[in-house]
Amino acid sequence: MNTKFKTVSSSNISISQLMLPSHTNFSGKIHGGFILSLLDQIAFACASKFSGNYCVTASVDTVNFLKPIEVGELVTMKAKVNYVGKSSMIVGIRVEAENIQTGEKNHCNSSYFTMVAKDENGNKALVPGLILSNVEEVRRFQNCLKQIALKKQSDAQKNSIDFGSIESIMSSNLYNVKLDLK
């Protein structure tokens, strides 16, 4: 366990970028893939700033696209470390789009990335402990613990098949699927 500790606020980072026509999808809105690329960049910067190491994306745990982003809006992403393990960190990211003519802001996306710190040889590196300084930081940390527990539970269940449950689901006609095991 690392004896060095850092505050959540020491990980805070934000980036802003004007959305251009070249960032759009076929419907004229900003492409989700472009936003995902920016999310990965800020998650890297946040985790690297906090850990003092090069970091890699281990998983994208949640990406909620809440509202579309328009061409000409200023997108601001704010990231902070919400949880730390031995070498991993969960980075929470909030995305807001601002109409620069009216000043109206919309919360467009919330995302959670698990990042892992690496040393100069590519091995996992210890990250500083996390100092929680207010109730909101404690809430975010607790939510990460819940997400980790749900992920472990889901991973454990993925390798088992309950044929009784599958047969009752199949016979319910709720799903457009046919079971044809050979």
Side-chain angles (χ1 to χ4, degrees):
M1 200 59 81
N2 200 337
T3 57
K4 182 179 177 185
F5 285 83
K6 291 174 100 174
T7 62
V8 171
S9 63
S10 72
S11 73
N12 289 355
I13 192 164
S14 66
I15 59 171
S16 295
Q17 184 164 339
L18 185 65
M19 295 296 105
L20 303 174
S22 61
H23 302 141
T24 60
N25 59 23
F26 293 111
S27 68
K29 306 296 182 194
I30 300 305
H31 195 289
F34 179 73
I35 297 301
L36 283 170
S37 175
L38 292 176
L39 289 167
D40 194 48
Q41 290 175 40
I42 194 170
F44 165 81
C46 179
S48 295
K49 177 182 177 183
F50 181 81
S51 70
N53 292 89
Y54 178 79
C55 294
V56 296
T57 304
S59 67
V60 180
D61 303 315
T62 306
V63 179
N64 293 318
F65 291 99
L66 306 172
K67 293 187 178 181
I69 300 172
E70 306 290 338
V71 170
E73 290 186 318
L74 181 66
V75 168
T76 300
M77 297 184 176
K78 299 175 184 175
K80 63 178 73 174
V81 171
N82 292 335
Y83 166 90
V84 298
K86 292 178 185 169
S87 62
S88 65
M89 297 152 281
I90 297 178
V91 175
I93 308 164
R94 179 182 172 92
V95 180
E96 291 180 346
E98 179 181 0
N99 180 315
I100 57 175
Q101 294 171 328
T102 66
E104 180 185 350
K105 292 181 183 179
N106 286 309
H107 177 203
C108 297
N109 185 302
S110 289
S111 301
Y112 299 91
F113 280 58
T114 299
M115 307 298 290
V116 176
K118 299 287 187 170
D119 66 16
E120 56 279 349
N121 297 318
N123 299 313
K124 291 181 180 180
L126 288 178
V127 298
L130 191 62
I131 299 170
L132 305 174
S133 303
N134 59 53
V135 174
E136 181 63 17
E137 292 173 0
V138 172
R139 185 189 66 76
R140 289 175 188 272
F141 181 83
Q142 186 176 15
N143 284 342
C144 289
L145 293 176
K146 290 177 185 175
Q147 283 302 117
I148 291 166
L150 286 171
K151 192 174 183 182
K152 285 181 182 177
Q153 181 182 6
S154 175
D155 289 347
Q157 291 175 348
K158 283 181 184 176
N159 293 328
S160 66
I161 299 174
D162 179 357
F163 282 102
S165 173
I166 290 293
E167 288 177 2
S168 67
I169 289 170
M170 303 295 268
S171 64
S172 71
N173 293 325
L174 293 174
Y175 303 97
N176 188 23
V177 65
K178 179 179 172 183
L179 188 60
D180 187 19
L181 300 176
K182 307 270 183 213

